[in-house]
């Protein structure tokens, strides 16, 4: 652990006035209501807005929060960031897009001995932070854990859950993400859209980062995943499916590499997909995806996407984000189909067992994400003996595989279940 026993705050929520940050504050307030020993604060650039967030949280939760302090810090002011991090055992960083504002926070945390969690779904940022700060974080014994929100706790910890429950040698896993929404539909905040635009535009830098980060590829393991098209119908989920272009596959692969290199576990072959109920939804979604992909490659196109988010997202993306009613009636499920060897199958180098598990939760971006980062943070602070032996930059599965994080998530609204016990195939 970092030398933080004498620090004023256990947790500081940085970016508390952002759209997602406000909900992280509310979740932290609810969860820590009965734990008076845990000291936390909110941080950002504007004191009046931070005071406003605390007042809003009081109204939403009915809690007084008189002991929650406000810290003024700006990512463009290194001195203010250093002072923030010197007061905190753990910083929950909610300031995005992370490609623009994330590194300053990671750097300040590592240099000043504060653990760092974020909710980034940006592979370029996540893998670049691993490349640039892992050795320094290891030396300082500081934990830096990215993608601790909906991206990618359900996927990474879902794979860990399946692996733990599987009675043989798990070899391949496919995840299928589904969303359900009420009559008012669902919504996405502009910051999420902006992150996706610039992430898609910068694929070349991600390839360069990966070559430097992992010069030696993982061994090519057999059996491989089934070959899937760009669009396909999966009778097991009863829906059309497309590759999921979020951070899940990147994050899961990083955990697989860590467990292979440090624990000699067999790397899994993993594929991530999301589902669409029918052609009525599939066709416009594909058209939006193609147009988005074309425009994001060019500056004028990115400018258009950023200027008219509602138009190019068919109404889903707004600067205001989803309404409370939309969030209350939206949920997600992620189903995992795992295959692997029994003793007999391993001899034949052929999968002969199959198991199905699922992770379900509330609205992903602004309800499940706060649940995930708050539980990850509290787990980090309370289970030092179950964490990796030294500091460093880790994905969630590598960080929390041996902790009670899944159990803690399960108690707080994100459920991990076995749908179908392992059976022969």
């Amino acid at each position: 652990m970092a030398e933080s026993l004498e620090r004023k705050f256990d947790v500081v929520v940085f970016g508390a006035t952002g759209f997602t940050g406000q909900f992280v504050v509310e979740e932290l307030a609810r969860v820590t209501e009965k734990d008076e020993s845990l000291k936390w604060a909110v941080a950002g650039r504007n004191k009046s807005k931070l005071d406003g967030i605390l007042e809003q949280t009081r109204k939403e939760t009915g809690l007084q929060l008189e002991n929650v302090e406000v810290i003024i810090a700006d990512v463009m002011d290194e001195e203010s960031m250093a002072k923030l991090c010197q007061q905190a055992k753990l910083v929950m960083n909610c300031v995005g897009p992370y490609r623009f504002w994330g590194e300053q926070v990671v750097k300040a945390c590592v240099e000043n001995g504060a653990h760092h969690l974020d909710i980034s779904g940006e592979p370029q940022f996540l893998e670049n932070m691993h490349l640039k700060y892992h050795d320094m974080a290891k030396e300082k014994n500081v934990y830096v854990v990215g993608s601790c929100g909906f991206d990618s706790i359900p996927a990474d910890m879902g794979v860990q859950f399946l692996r733990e429950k599987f009675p043989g040698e798990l070899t391949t896993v496919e995840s299928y993400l589904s969303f359900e929404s009420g009559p008012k539909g669902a919504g996405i905040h502009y910051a999420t859209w902006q992150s996706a635009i610039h992430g898609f535009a910068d694929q070349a830098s991600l390839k360069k980062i990966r070559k430097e980060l992992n010069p030696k590829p993982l061994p090519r393991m057999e059996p491989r995943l089934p070959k899937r098209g760009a669009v396909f119908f999966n009778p097991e989920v009863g829906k059309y499916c497309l590759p999921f272009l979020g951070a899940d596959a990147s994050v899961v692969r990083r955990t697989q590499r860590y467990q292979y290199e440090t624990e000699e576990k067999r790397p899994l072959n993993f594929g991530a997909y999301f589902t669409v109920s029918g052609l009525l939804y599939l066709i416009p979604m594909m058209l939006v995806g193609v147009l988005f992909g074309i425009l994001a490659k060019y500056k004028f196109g990115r400018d258009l996407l950023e200027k008219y988010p509602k138009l190019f997202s068919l109404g889903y993306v707004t600067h205001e984000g989803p309404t409370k009613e939309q969030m209350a009636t939206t949920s997600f499920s992620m189903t995992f189909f795992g295959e692997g060897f029994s003793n007999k199958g391993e001899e034949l180098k052929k999968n002969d067992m199959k198991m199905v598990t699922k992770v379900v939760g509330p609205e992903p971006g602004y309800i499940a994400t706060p649940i995930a980062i708050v539980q990850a943070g509290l787990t980090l602070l309370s289970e030092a003996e179950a964490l990796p032996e030294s500091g460093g930059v880790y994905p969630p599965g590598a960080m929390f595989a041996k902790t009670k994080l899944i159990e803690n998530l399960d108690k707080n609204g994100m459920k991990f279940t076995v749908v179908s016990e392992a059976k022969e195939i």
Side-chain angles (χ1 to χ4, degrees), residues 167-169 340-353 424-425:
E169 181 75 67
F341 302 144
S342 65
N343 292 334
K344 179 181 177 181
E346 189 166 10
E347 293 173 2
L348 299 172
K349 302 299 181 184
K350 179 181 179 182
N351 288 338
D352 63 350
M353 297 180 70
E424 292 185 0
I425 54 176

Side-chain angles (χ1 to χ4, degrees), residues 37-57:
S37 66
L38 192 137
K39 306 299 181 184
W40 60 282
V42 296
R45 293 178 298 173
N46 188 305
K47 186 178 187 305
S48 63
K49 288 184 178 181
L50 290 166
D51 289 337
I53 286 298
L54 290 179
E55 181 59 31
Q56 175 184 303
T57 303

